[in-house]
Amino acid sequence: ISPFYQPEIDLNTNEIVGFEALLRWRDRDGAVQSPERIAAAFDDPEVATAISDRMLERSITDMRGWLDKGIAFKSVAFNVSAAEFRRGGFAEGVLEQLDNAGVPSSCLQIEVTETVFLGQGAEYVLTALKILNSEGVKIALDDFGTGYASLRHLKDFPVEIIKIDQSFVRNMVVDPGDEAIVRAVINLGQSLGMKVVAEGIESIEQARRLLELGCDFGQGYLFSKAVPADKVPDLLSSSAAGTTGRLSLARQWRPRLMTSNV
């Protein structure tokens, strides 16, 4: 089990503002596989939490390594399931691991889906998120719009970032209904003083429209696929220079947009 890192991009400046840790694993032949191939493992709470523990441990180790090399990665977002909160002491354990590694809590972002707010144990989730947030860890609501949480949860829980699910971004330039949902989420985030991240951006047209709608950040294959930890420094260098790969391609749309608005 290894975390790979996909960058989040400031749509106004095209700069990398952080990364999301995404689960990858290597099979017996050493080939990198996606989590879908081991989806059944997540049906077992003990196995699922063991995988998550491994992901967090590796992510913190990678962050420590980047800090030692002076790599300005800014922050890493880490996905947490409801089962992990129900174990109790989750927030304290995360903060202890960060402290032991000498990684500032501001370098970590916790992502939760709407489902963690529902059902038994919601009080544990609220307590844990408040503890983490009080120590400087940012909280993001992932896959927003696909679950069943009430809008009240945005008010009651210490959420600072909303992530628009890629299912809405995918067809937004051709489907008025999807664009309407994206626009509504962006407006909601702005009204509540929250940053908004659009996931699954794959085309310049999508990025251009998201910027026009006022979206703050984006991630997706247009900018970069998820990369192993040792490739993060190169990705940051390429982003700063605007010279290579998909990140270079993505930079082209911002000047054109500015020109078309004049």
Side-chain angles (χ1 to χ4, degrees), residues 3 6 16 20 59 61 70 72 88 102 117 128 150 152 154 164 182 192 204 224 230 239 242:
Q6 186 175 43
I16 292 177
E20 180 179 359
S59 297
T61 298
F117 299 148
S150 165
R152 175 165 290 280
L154 290 178
I164 305 173
V182 170
L192 295 175
I204 291 176
S224 173
D230 61 353
S239 173

Side-chain angles (χ1 to χ4, degrees), residues 48-64:
T49 53
I51 291 174
S52 182
D53 288 344
R54 175 65 169 167
M55 279 285 291
L56 181 61
E57 174 191 339
R58 290 294 300 273
S59 297
I60 291 176
T61 298
D62 290 339
M63 285 190 278
R64 181 66 262 169

